[in-house]
Amino acid sequence: MTSVWESLTVDSRDPARLARWWAEALGYQVVTEKPDEVEIRPSADRLPGLVFVPATEGKQGKNRLHLDLRPANQEAEVERLVDMGARHVDIGQRDVEWTVLSDPEGNEFCVLRAREE
């Protein structure tokens, strides 16, 4: 028996706002919007999704799980995400080939360089 990855759940102070931010960042669409849950996916029939649910407290400490994004142009994508409200963060990464950013609620994610073919 195996499982299918359905979604990743993100606690959020403002689920609708953060879901829309990530939908724009990833080119996803909102597929479900309820007061207690907003889900985004690449399309309505494609998994996995990201589900944003309410949280009463803000994020504390470094994420133990984060997304890695791999755009065709790292520099341009970092600039686009920062223009959308992402922030550069230092989690002790030192000199690495990826850029660490955080979303508007402080959740870290990495923007990797394009794959070499």
Side-chain angles (χ1 to χ4, degrees), residues 31-89:
V31 296
T32 304
E33 186 164 359
K34 303 177 201 170
D36 63 340
E37 168 182 306
V38 180
E39 182 176 8
I40 66 171
R41 294 184 187 174
S43 62
D45 61 342
R46 284 190 52 209
L47 296 173
L50 291 171
V51 177
F52 298 83
V53 298
T56 56
E57 63 253 356
K59 180 184 155 320
Q60 298 176 5
K62 180 180 176 279
N63 290 8
R64 295 194 58 189
L65 178 70
H66 69 268
L67 298 179
D68 287 343
L69 309 181
R70 189 176 301 275
N73 182 319
Q74 180 190 38
E75 186 176 315
E77 183 66 352
V78 167
E79 184 177 335
R80 180 182 79 90
L81 293 166
V82 168
D83 286 347
M84 287 175 50
R87 295 178 305 278
H88 288 271
V89 293

